[in-house]
Amino acid sequence: MIVGIIGSGGREHAICSKIKESAKISKIYCIPGNAGTSKIASNVEIKIEDFKSIKNFCLENKIELLIVGPEQPLVNGIVDYFIDTKIKVFGPNKIASQLEGSKIFTKKICSKYKIPTSNFKIFENINDAKKFLSSAKFPLVIKSDGLAAGKGVYICKNIEEGITAANEIFGGKFGVAENLLVEEFLEGEEMSYFVICDGENYQFIGTAQDHKRVGEGDKGKNTGGMGCYSPSRLFNSQLAEKINSEIINPTLSAIKDLGTTYRGFLYVGLMIKDNKPYLVEFNVRMGDPECQTILPLLEDDLIEIFVNCCLGKLKNKIRLNHKKSICIVLCSKGYPDEYKKNIPILGLDTVSLKEDEYIFHAGTKLENNEILASGGRVLNFVSVSENFYNSRKDIIKLIDKLNWKNGFFRKDIGYKVIDV
Ligand code: AMP
Ligand code: GLY
């Protein structure tokens, strides 16, 4: 089978590596990919928003399955754009992708279908928002409606922070804002829960917990993710049952009531309190770096899963082994603020990996046979073992061996599941 993958992050390198293991694969194209994918697939220099060129390339190169990694092309309707072709496109369509594309869309579904989530209010102008905030109890969470690359969420401790958030959102910091969402602050511990849906049925494909803050002890600015571990310590079958019946089933019914179905990964971002799940957000794709920790645990053929999903035949439970997986992200110094670009990463070939150890590239590119860091999050080091302590210890050894002077990473990833 000839397969295309859209995206250029660690998630897409992990997907590429996993499907490469399948006997069914004859060729993989990554659009645009990174230095890591270029070693195991063919990178294609097309922008991910250029649907026309992607479609032409897929048709010319006889791509049979196109896997969409990031949210933006899904929210922009790439799946719908391919509807007149025979190419299977893995991911939800434009309507279903609103679950990530519009937080207000999701909140309205939560209200209508009684899905547990924080109480909320929607404001259509700054004056009404300010009036509400002036007598509100804090902390509160203020969010822009649309995609904001993880940045449109403000946890506000007091009215001043609330007003700043409202001004920034209505001021257009995340694009033209017609409305704003104010949410009650949820106490508890977060867990990310992943399923894969075929339009009718869905199967569980793991849990993880990520560390979004740049600094150790979860301090400092928010990032795209500094590392994560899988499975989450909060997971148990009773909780899974509640997540399925109280959150996922009604959401999939809501999408059906809109006259369509959900197909693809569904990332359920949850706050767990007293073993009860509350929905924080949906994402219509795999998490990054959660994907990099979960796929190494997968015991089934990922290509078979994707194809069955596209055919509406995802019948079997997905098998994951019971090991403990950690991913640590090596970032460019300065990230998430300004950082230097095009810095060579020397000696990557000399870092030898044991079984169950992986390096997935994120912001890298290959130029004149040299690997350069082109993004803030550069390399994902993953180790799978019998316990989280060993996984993290082994990763840190690998990062120390590489000794990339322009990089930094958090040494405390997984501290909630590692005592020392
Ligand atoms: P979101 O993009 O909606 O997932 O929000 C990003 C992060 O903000 C989440 O991962 C949570 O850590 C935090 N967050 C969002 N909404 C809430 C809430 N209602 N209560 C507490 N924390 C929240
Ligand atoms: N790691 C968080 C996300 O993928 O949205």
Side-chain angles (χ1 to χ4, degrees), residues 195-199 201-204 264 304-318:
V195 295
I196 185 163
C197 311
D198 74 356
N201 299 300
Y202 64 91
Q203 299 293 345
F204 170 71
E304 247 173 55
I305 295 176
F306 285 144
V307 169
N308 283 336
C309 225
C310 292
L311 296 174
K313 289 184 182 168
L314 192 65
K315 298 275 183 297
N316 299 332
K317 267 201 157 55
I318 293 172

Side-chain angles (χ1 to χ4, degrees), residues 191-340:
M191 175 171 98
S192 302
Y193 183 92
F194 298 92
V195 295
I196 185 163
C197 311
D198 74 356
E200 200 55 49
N201 299 300
Y202 64 91
Q203 299 293 345
F204 170 71
I205 187 165
T207 58
Q209 192 166 20
D210 75 343
H211 295 267
K212 287 204 178 84
R213 303 296 195 92
V214 69
E216 289 184 5
D218 292 327
K219 302 224 165 61
K221 290 197 169 160
N222 253 327
T223 70
M226 297 295 293
C228 68
Y229 61 93
S230 172
S232 157
R233 66 171 178 168
L234 301 169
F235 181 77
N236 60 70
S237 57
Q238 221 189 1
L239 180 63
E241 174 49 38
K242 289 182 206 162
I243 296 167
N244 294 343
S245 63
E246 295 173 16
I247 297 178
I248 300 177
N249 296 347
T251 300
L252 297 180
S253 298
I255 298 296
K256 273 199 173 166
D257 291 347
L258 290 172
T260 185
T261 55
Y262 193 98
R263 175 168 296 160
F265 285 119
L266 182 64
Y267 169 147
V268 190
L270 299 159
M271 194 67 83
I272 311 295
K273 192 167 182 215
D274 302 330
N275 211 36
K276 288 200 200 104
Y278 298 87
L279 181 70
V280 175
E281 63 163 351
F282 281 125
N283 294 315
V284 296
R285 49 169 175 88
M286 230 356 203
D288 185 337
E290 291 89 332
C291 183
Q292 294 87 302
T293 57
I294 291 176
L295 291 189
L297 303 175
L298 180 65
E299 294 193 328
D300 290 323
D301 183 326
L302 185 58
I303 270 298
E304 247 173 55
I305 295 176
F306 285 144
V307 169
N308 283 336
C309 225
C310 292
L311 296 174
K313 289 184 182 168
L314 192 65
K315 298 275 183 297
N316 299 332
K317 267 201 157 55
I318 293 172
R319 292 174 309 152
L320 297 163
N321 73 39
H322 295 288
K323 291 185 183 170
K324 312 291 184 197
S325 178
I326 292 205
C327 171
I328 300 182
V329 182
L330 182 63
C331 300
S332 288
K333 276 182 188 159
Y335 175 78
D337 297 319
E338 286 298 299
Y339 54 84
K340 289 191 199 142

Side-chain angles (χ1 to χ4, degrees), residues 103 118 141 143 153 183-186 190 212 280-281:
K103 292 184 195 302
S118 56
V141 184
K143 299 183 178 181
V153 175
E183 280 182 24
E184 155 202 29
F185 179 82
L186 290 170
E190 283 181 80
K212 287 204 178 84
V280 175
E281 63 163 351

